[in-house]
């Protein structure tokens, strides 16, 4: 099995871009680092999935489908609110508040990462 490096790199790049966000939200160094690492690994793994799973034409659409499907469990997890301490930063409150907005954003970002990885995927003969 051959892994398309361009798709993995595209997913990693998407993860790096989204990983900048936590650093500017007033989080502690450890919290920002862990949150950023989670985002990077999530989107890099979507790029890896797009690289190894079958695709159809147009490839960005198949990538978006794989990214969307990969994000479904996380979307349901973010849709359910869970309690935080009173001094938790607002950035965390955005993600743990739950509801349809959190669910849709999780699915959207997974699909976007997959679409980018699919767009960068080499066509196989």
């Amino acid at each position: 099995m051959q892994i398309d490096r361009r798709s993995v790199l595209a997913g990693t790049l998407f993860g790096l871009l989204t990983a900048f966000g936590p650093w500017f939200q007033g989080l502690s160094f450890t919290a920002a680092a862990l949150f950023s690492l989670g985002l990077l690994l999530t989107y890099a793994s979507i790029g890896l999935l797009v690289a190894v799973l079958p695709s159809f034409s147009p490839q960005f659409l198949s990538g978006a489908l794989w990214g969307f499907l990969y994000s479904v469990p996380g979307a349901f997890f973010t849709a359910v609110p869970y309690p935080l301490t009173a001094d938790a930063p607002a950035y965390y409150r955005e993600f743990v508040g739950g509801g349809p907005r959190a669910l849709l954003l999780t699915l959207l970002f997974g699909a976007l990462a997959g679409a980018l990885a699919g767009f960068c995927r080499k066509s196989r003969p």
Side-chain angles (χ1 to χ4, degrees), residues 79-122:
V80 177
Y82 51 95
L84 286 177
T85 62
D87 61 341
Y91 191 71
Y92 284 147
R93 294 191 189 290
E94 176 72 25
F95 285 94
V96 301
R101 182 173 184 258
L103 183 134
L104 291 174
L105 283 174
T106 303
L107 294 173
L108 175 69
F109 271 79
L112 285 173
L116 178 65
F119 180 76
C120 294
R121 183 179 173 160
K122 262 192 219 178

Side-chain angles (χ1 to χ4, degrees), residues 10 21 26 31 42 44 48 51 61 66 76 83 86 90 95 98 125:
T42 297
L48 179 64
L61 196 55
W66 293 129
F76 283 104
F95 285 94

